[in-house]
Amino acid sequence: MMLYAISGTDTPHSLNGRKLARTAHLDRVTALRDAGRLVLAGPHPAIDSTEPGESGYTGSLIVAEFPSLDDATAWASADPYIAAGVWGDVTVKPFIQVAP
């Protein structure tokens, strides 16, 4: 097992799609957490605020453990945010955690 950073970049005007797909997206992230494979996950707000409101988000970052790059890519490709048109681009890269 190795860590992978999954970075999803939002499409313009993605907030409504995020709201609609959020529960399904979070269910998958929660399953990683419950399996002890999640390091961190969260969105990038479009403005300098923890509550961006209608400004929305520019993307998301998930760092989690997978057996291989192919497995991490397959997991990311099946995310509800892709099906809902929220993420227009997804990058998956191996990640080595050095801190904390």
Side-chain angles (χ1 to χ4, degrees):
M1 293 286 251
M2 182 165 176
L3 292 177
Y4 295 89
I6 299 167
S7 181
T9 302
D10 280 29
T11 59
H13 313 291
S14 62
L15 187 57
N16 190 51
R18 264 187 179 271
K19 290 176 182 177
L20 294 173
R22 186 171 192 265
T23 298
H25 167 76
L26 290 179
D27 285 349
R28 297 178 82 238
V29 173
T30 298
L32 287 175
R33 182 201 66 202
D34 292 350
R37 296 170 44 199
L38 182 66
V39 173
L40 63 88
H44 300 289
I47 61 173
D48 190 13
S49 173
T50 60
E51 297 292 333
E54 291 303 311
S55 294
Y57 302 89
T58 61
S60 303
L61 174 65
I62 299 166
V63 177
E65 194 175 49
F66 291 91
S68 69
L69 178 59
D70 287 342
D71 289 318
T73 300
W75 185 91
S77 296
D79 197 280
Y81 278 175
I82 293 175
V86 174
W87 288 347
D89 181 56
V90 177
T91 303
V92 181
K93 295 180 180 182
F95 181 80
I96 298 172
Q97 183 177 2
V98 297

